[in-house]
Amino acid sequence: QVQLQESGPGLVKPSQTLSLTCTVSGGSITTDYTYWGWIRQSPGKRLEWMGRITWRGDTAYYPTLKSRTSISRDTLKNQFTLQLSSVTPEDTAVYYCARDSDVDRTDAAVYDYWGQGTQVTVSG
């Protein structure tokens, strides 16, 4: 069973860069046709797909976040990382890492394995 676990600071100051890591166990981030995504949910809002990295290391981002978002990976550690720059209080949310497979999609609802989520608050 694939398991994902987010880690990173819970509090980030405005204008700083938010950095989160997702550690994957029970499966490899290089398994063919797997897509490893970052998704967030702000209070009172829908799940928002932020971007993903594929089993080959290709990345894609939600258009309105593209200029501030970077996703990378460490295949030796079986981890992938989110960096979101120039954060504002509107970036306060629960951040999830998740896995999709077979088809490349941007709908957060279709991801089948999820981390438990980590609360990130932008304040300072």
Side-chain angles (χ1 to χ4, degrees):
Q1 172 116 4
V2 176
Q3 293 183 318
L4 299 92
Q5 178 67 57
E6 305 90 351
S7 60
L11 181 64
V12 183
K13 293 183 178 180
S15 80
Q16 291 187 339
T17 296
L18 179 164
S19 183
L20 297 174
T21 296
C22 184
T23 301
V24 179
S25 59
S28 172
I29 63 172
T30 61
T31 297
D32 287 354
Y33 302 105
T34 56
Y35 306 85
W36 305 90
W38 286 98
I39 297 156
R40 68 181 182 180
Q41 188 167 32
S42 302
K45 295 187 178 180
R46 292 182 174 183
L47 289 171
E48 179 180 32
W49 181 88
M50 301 179 67
R52 63 94 177 109
I53 188 164
T54 73
W55 79 100
R56 297 180 300 189
D58 302 319
T59 55
Y61 304 104
Y62 190 70
T64 59
L65 296 173
K66 186 176 181 179
S67 64
R68 300 196 291 130
T69 308
S70 177
I71 298 174
S72 59
R73 66 178 185 170
D74 184 330
T75 56
L76 294 179
K77 294 182 179 179
N78 214 32
Q79 295 175 332
F80 62 105
T81 299
L82 169 73
Q83 290 194 311
L84 181 67
S85 64
S86 304
V87 297
T88 72
E90 291 192 349
D91 293 310
T92 294
V94 177
Y95 286 76
Y96 300 92
C97 59
R99 191 206 79 167
D100 193 9
S101 59
D102 299 329
V103 180
D104 193 5
R105 296 170 286 195
T106 60
D107 181 358
V110 302
Y111 278 68
D112 52 3
Y113 290 98
W114 292 68
Q116 64 184 21
T118 187
Q119 173 70 46
V120 177
T121 301
V122 180
S123 178

